[in-house]
Amino acid sequence: MIIGITGTPGTGKTSVTKLLENDQLCQVIHLNELIREEKLYSEVDTERDCVVADMDLVYDRVLELHDKSYPVTIVDSHLSHHIADIVIVLRTSPAKLKERLEKRKYSVEKVRENLEAEALDIILAEAVDWCEKVFELDTTEGTMDRTFKDIWRIIKGLRRGDTEELEQEFRPGSVDWSDYFFD
């Protein structure tokens, strides 16, 4: 089973997946690192300070790395919803997200672009369009431990084939930041 942990940069994906690395049931692939280390991109976008991933190469490489001896492979990235059929979308209020991205020293333009993406549900909308199962989790006020526990509950439910209650609790569209830019 491959599960994507996706969301706008700064929502907590990498922090929480580092906790999942300690579990013997999970293989974790940090997709952004993999893309850079193995040069799985078609170009470098210097204006936006990023690389443009070649998603065909990325997809093939993830399948090669997927170790079936683990019950669950977690793919960590704001691009993981392009790879996995099951995703957990982490969401954070734009105000909190702005603090996190500024702490990372993102440019003003890059902060703005990511805040707009979060407020407009860009990643969530893509995930809902492309993925078989989507869970949405608000990480704004929760601790990393709380986020980890919620993700682990979802993973356990998926492994048991019992997600009906979880699909209600973490249903896509339950988080709404659309009024952020209109205040």
Side-chain angles (χ1 to χ4, degrees), residues 155-168:
I155 291 170
K156 286 191 323 190
L158 287 163
R159 291 193 62 223
R160 285 190 319 265
D162 179 21
T163 60
E164 192 173 320
E165 187 177 304
L166 294 166
E167 288 176 37
Q168 287 305 308

Side-chain angles (χ1 to χ4, degrees), residues 42 45 56 80 92 123:
S42 56
D45 184 340
D56 291 330
S80 67
T92 302
I123 290 177

Side-chain angles (χ1 to χ4, degrees), residues 66-99:
H66 174 53
D67 184 343
K68 291 182 176 64
S69 67
Y70 288 95
V72 177
T73 295
I74 302 291
V75 180
D76 153 39
S77 173
H78 67 288
L79 299 172
S80 67
H81 58 285
H82 294 271
I83 303 292
D85 290 329
I86 301 168
V87 295
I88 301 169
V89 181
L90 303 186
R91 304 292 307 281
T92 302
S93 76
K96 183 72 151 183
L97 191 60
K98 183 177 186 208
E99 291 173 20

Side-chain angles (χ1 to χ4, degrees), residues 127-149:
V128 167
D129 280 350
W130 299 337
C131 301
E132 183 181 314
K133 282 195 185 283
V134 178
F135 301 88
E136 182 180 28
L137 183 56
D138 184 355
T139 64
T140 304
E141 299 301 327
T143 64
M144 196 50 54
D145 185 54
R146 176 80 256 154
T147 301
F148 172 80
K149 286 178 180 173

Side-chain angles (χ1 to χ4, degrees), residues 18-41:
K18 286 188 185 292
L19 296 175
L20 290 166
E21 285 177 333
N22 298 324
D23 193 292
Q24 295 177 344
L25 297 176
C26 292
Q27 171 192 24
V28 176
I29 298 172
H30 297 286
L31 201 55
N32 296 346
E33 289 175 16
L34 181 70
I35 290 167
R36 280 192 163 75
E37 288 171 6
E38 297 194 11
K39 298 186 180 1
L40 302 175
Y41 52 84

